[in-house]
């Protein structure tokens, strides 16, 4: 795993461990482990089996109980397992202790996700973001990493370092993190101009649970061909596409990294581009895979992550922010009877039912965006040459003209227009935005 400095993942045989605490159903825990299995397979491991323990609380030092650990140990030997994956975040102390007992690699969901991210990230920005998250993850775990190395090498001179050496290593890691963060800042600033230009257009950001069909939907809307697959986290880099689907009203659609249960907050925070794509959007499309048996949980997970993002933004900017969000229920082609659709419609009357794969319902998304966008109004001032009949016509057609004045071959007007027409009008010389309301 990336954590140990090797990204090649020789096919490992993994055992998955989940703990069911009071308040969670067996069903939910099974779904969680099913998802963990998909993550492990995405990372390239073979999953030998799963263990679910029911507990009233987690065991402080080893997460699961001693008896359970013994059972796991037996299975490690019998089934030739060399990787144990916990569904929940382990503290560095817990992971170290469990590794000592089991004598195989022990990782948690976070580390698995980081590993997948590091393999998928393509752009320099995405790679930096993932690397920073990995180092932040490694920082409190340095000691364990050393213990791990010494166990692997197992011999004279390979014992772990003393506290002093650890302190040096920690400092180095921190320096490295701040160096990478500077690099990331530079890139983010570099995208500032692009973002500023983007802001003039109507921005729609596509968010949702991993594998919900976000990239497929963007491809469908934009007629483009972004990589998509049935693996989790196919998209790490965000992609923006301009869609001219609506007359005179270009829309920018941005595809983002998928969200998932138990996503550690610092991982979300490290995805600066995603945060900005969400915060600065004029509208969000929240794509849901309604063919998933746990789609309602998934909606909640996404809403929680979005809530965190907005909370962070409002702390930073000192203003409360919310972006209007439209629920898109995807993969309806998989619902085998019309009854399923009817129930969904009744429970979620505002959601738009689509099949991004087949194209069904996608036109409605564009219509909704258009009608929403047009509900916003802006005030402009335009100074147009009297010889530019085309622009004057356009303004007369789409704007409510207030004052007008003719001066030295120009007509100067202030007018109120639908926000949707702003991009078109702003391209004309002499037109400037006065206010948004
Ligand atoms: N049956 C069906 N499958 C779909 C539909 N939309 C997407 N899929 C499939 O669902 C899988 C995931 O699609 P993606 O578009 O990669 O999903 P994503 O949300 O971008 O996933 P990540 O980038 O991994 O977060 C692919 O196998 C798609 O072909 C749909 O409307 N119907
Ligand atoms: Mg995707």
């Amino acid at each position: 795993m990336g954590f140990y400095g090797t990204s090649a993942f020789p096919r490992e045989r993994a055992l998955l461990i989940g703990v069911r605490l009071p308040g969670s159903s067996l069903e939910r825990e099974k779904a969680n482990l099913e998802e963990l299995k998909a993550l492990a397979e995405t990372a390239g491991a073979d999953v030998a089996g799963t263990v679910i323990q029911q507990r009233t609380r987690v065991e402080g030092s080893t997460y699961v109980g001693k008896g359970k650990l013994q059972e796991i140990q037996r299975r490690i030997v019998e089934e030739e397992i060399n990787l144990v994956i916990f569904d929940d975040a382990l503290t560095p102390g817990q992971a170290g202790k469990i590794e000592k007992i089991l004598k195989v690699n022990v990782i948690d969901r976070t580390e698995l996700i980081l590993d997948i991210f590091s393999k998928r990230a393509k752009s320099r920005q995405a790679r930096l973001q993932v690397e920073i998250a990995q180092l932040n993850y490694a920082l409190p775990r340095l000691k364990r990493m050393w213990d791990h190395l010494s166990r692997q090498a197992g011999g004279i001179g390979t014992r772990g370092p003393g506290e002093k050496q650890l302190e040096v290593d920690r400092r180095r890691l921190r320096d490295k993190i701040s160096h990478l963060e500077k690099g990331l800042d530079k890139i983010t600033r570099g995208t500032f101009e692009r973002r500023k230009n983007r802001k003039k257009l109507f921005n729609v950001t596509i968010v949702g649970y991993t594998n919900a069909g976000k990239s497929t939907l963007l491809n469908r809307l934009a007629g483009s061909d972004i990589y998509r697959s049935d693996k989790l986290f196919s998209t790490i880099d965000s992609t923006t596409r301009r869609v001219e689907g609506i007359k005179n009203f270009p829309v920018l659609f941005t595809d983002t990294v998928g969200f998932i249960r138990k996503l550690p907050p610092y991982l979300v925070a490290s995805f600066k581009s995603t945060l900005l794509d969400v915060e600065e959007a004029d509208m969000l499309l929240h794509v849901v895979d309604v063919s998933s048996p746990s789609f309602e949980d998934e909606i909640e997970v996404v809403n929680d992550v979005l809530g965190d993002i907005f909370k962070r933004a409002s702390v930073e900017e000192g203003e409360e922010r919310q972006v209007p969000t439209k629920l898109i229920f995807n993969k309806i082609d998989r619902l085998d009877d019309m009854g399923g659709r009817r129930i969904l419609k009744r429970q979620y009357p505002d959601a738009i039912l689509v099949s991004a794969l087949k194209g069904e319902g996608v036109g409605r998304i564009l219509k909704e965006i258009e009608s929403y966008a047009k509900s916003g109004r802006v005030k402009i001032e335009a100074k147009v040459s009297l010889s530019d009949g085309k622009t004057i016509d356009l303004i007369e057609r789409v704007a409510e003209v207030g004052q007008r004045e003719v001066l030295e071959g120009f007509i100067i007007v202030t007018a109120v227009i639908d926000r949707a027409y702003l991009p078109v009008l702003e391209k004309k010389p002499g037109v400037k935005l006065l206010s948004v309301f």
Side-chain angles (χ1 to χ4, degrees):
M1 308 293 300
F3 181 49
Y4 296 112
T6 49
S7 70
F9 197 7
R11 283 208 86 83
E12 301 193 71
R13 272 177 72 74
L15 187 63
L16 312 183
I17 319 291
V19 170
R20 185 186 150 210
L21 295 169
S24 174
S25 64
L26 187 59
E27 233 98 278
R28 176 172 293 182
E29 209 44 54
K30 276 191 180 150
N32 285 351
L33 282 192
E34 205 44 52
E35 183 174 270
L36 189 68
K37 181 166 181 249
L39 286 169
E41 286 169 352
T42 299
D46 292 324
V47 174
T50 58
V51 175
I52 297 182
Q53 185 179 32
Q54 190 174 346
R55 297 184 62 90
T56 48
R57 59 183 182 86
V58 303
E59 178 71 39
S61 64
T62 52
Y63 209 83
V64 293
K66 292 270 149 23
K68 215 37 163 194
L69 271 183
Q70 274 164 8
E71 180 193 325
I72 295 169
Q73 210 158 14
R74 263 200 313 279
R75 289 190 65 173
I76 286 175
V77 177
E78 279 163 19
E79 299 171 42
E80 296 181 357
I81 282 155
N82 51 14
L83 177 66
V84 174
I85 309 177
F86 280 74
D87 194 41
D88 289 290
L90 297 173
T91 65
Q94 285 166 342
K97 187 96 184 272
I98 301 168
E99 269 190 344
K100 266 209 186 91
I101 297 171
L102 297 180
K103 301 192 178 59
V104 292
N105 279 358
V106 173
I107 63 171
D108 59 14
R109 180 185 268 250
T110 308
E111 198 180 337
L112 191 57
I113 293 173
L114 281 172
D115 189 76
I116 297 171
F117 277 17
S118 73
K119 282 187 199 136
R120 292 281 162 79
K122 290 207 183 59
S123 72
R124 199 170 133 63
Q125 186 175 23
R127 275 189 283 122
L128 277 174
Q129 289 174 160
V130 174
E131 204 179 338
I132 291 168
Q134 277 179 315
L135 292 176
N136 275 320
Y137 182 85
L139 198 54
R141 292 169 173 79
L142 272 184
K143 176 149 173 17
R144 187 185 132 217
M145 220 159 83
W146 273 107
D147 289 349
H148 175 86
L149 285 175
S150 55
R151 196 180 52 250
Q152 272 197 334
I156 301 161
T158 55
R159 261 171 303 150
E163 267 311 305
K164 191 150 173 254
Q165 179 62 41
L166 270 180
E167 207 26 67
V168 172
D169 287 355
R170 283 196 192 104
R171 205 170 49 232
R172 270 201 205 126
L173 260 192
R174 278 193 212 103
D175 288 349
K176 174 117 201 247
I177 292 173
S178 73
H179 175 74
L180 292 178
E181 272 172 349
K182 270 184 208 133
L184 184 60
D185 266 3
K186 218 184 258 167
I187 296 179
T188 313
R189 269 202 302 280
T191 60
F192 182 74
E193 267 308 301
R194 209 171 65 216
R195 282 189 182 279
K196 212 173 77 189
N197 283 333
R198 261 202 221 168
K199 271 192 188 163
K200 290 186 188 151
L201 298 187
F202 195 80
N203 285 275
V204 177
T205 297
I206 303 174
V207 296
Y209 209 75
T210 182
N211 214 41
K214 300 178 292 298
S215 300
T216 310
L217 180 65
L218 179 59
N219 285 339
R220 178 59 69 177
L221 288 164
S224 60
D225 199 11
I226 298 154
Y227 180 69
R228 72 191 130 83
S229 76
D230 210 7
K231 297 243 165 99
L232 303 180
F233 298 117
S234 329
T235 310
I236 300 294
D237 297 277
S238 27
T239 315
T240 299
R241 290 277 180 279
R242 188 185 163 114
V243 174
E244 307 285 348
I246 306 166
K247 198 164 171 282
N248 273 349
F249 179 44
V251 177
L252 290 185
F253 286 98
T254 300
D255 183 20
T256 57
V257 62
F259 300 155
I260 196 166
R261 274 179 206 91
K262 303 174 185 174
L263 198 62
Y266 66 83
L267 203 87
V268 181
S270 69
F271 273 79
K272 295 224 168 63
S273 51
T274 300
L275 300 187
L276 290 174
D277 289 334
V278 169
E279 287 166 19
E280 295 176 353
D282 294 301
M283 187 176 189
L284 298 178
L285 298 181
H286 175 171
V287 181
V288 180
D289 172 0
V290 278
S291 72
S292 156
S294 44
F295 81 88
E296 283 171 313
D297 277 353
E298 289 161 14
I299 291 177
E300 223 171 283
V301 170
V302 172
N303 283 340
D304 285 350
V305 178
L306 289 177
D308 284 347
I309 292 177
F310 290 128
K311 215 185 292 159
R312 193 191 325 262
S314 52
V315 168
E316 274 173 19
E317 294 164 23
E319 71 170 290
E320 195 64 40
R321 262 179 156 285
Q322 263 304 337
V323 177
T325 304
K326 193 85 208 159
L327 270 181
I328 308 297
F329 280 179
N330 189 31
K331 309 198 188 179
I332 52 164
D333 55 290
R334 283 201 184 153
L335 303 179
D336 34 38
D337 59 29
M338 292 310 278
R341 293 189 187 196
R342 263 205 306 278
I343 293 169
L344 283 176
K345 272 196 183 135
R346 203 172 318 133
Q347 284 182 323
Y348 298 89
D350 292 333
I352 303 180
L353 273 54
V354 307
S355 166
L357 196 68
K358 305 255 156 73
E360 191 187 339
V362 172
R364 264 197 65 206
I365 299 179
L366 291 171
K367 281 213 186 80
E368 288 266 345
I369 292 172
E370 185 184 21
S371 72
Y372 171 76
K374 287 194 168 170
S375 64
R377 311 272 280 166
V378 299
K379 194 171 189 177
I380 56 162
E381 183 188 86
K383 182 178 177 197
V384 187
S385 159
L386 285 174
S387 63
D388 185 359
K390 246 173 131 182
T391 303
I392 295 173
D393 271 357
L394 181 65
I395 293 175
E396 295 287 351
R397 200 148 38 83
V398 304
E400 279 170 39
V401 178
Q403 288 169 320
R404 54 181 101 211
E405 196 183 339
V406 178
L407 202 74
E408 293 167 9
F410 284 93
I411 175 164
I412 303 165
V413 299
T414 51
V416 173
I417 56 166
D418 289 339
R419 191 189 191 294
Y421 291 110
L422 187 61
V424 187
L425 280 169
E426 265 195 337
K427 273 195 226 139
K428 312 281 182 198
V431 175
K432 71 174 187 231
L433 179 63
L434 291 180
S435 59
V436 179
F437 50 93

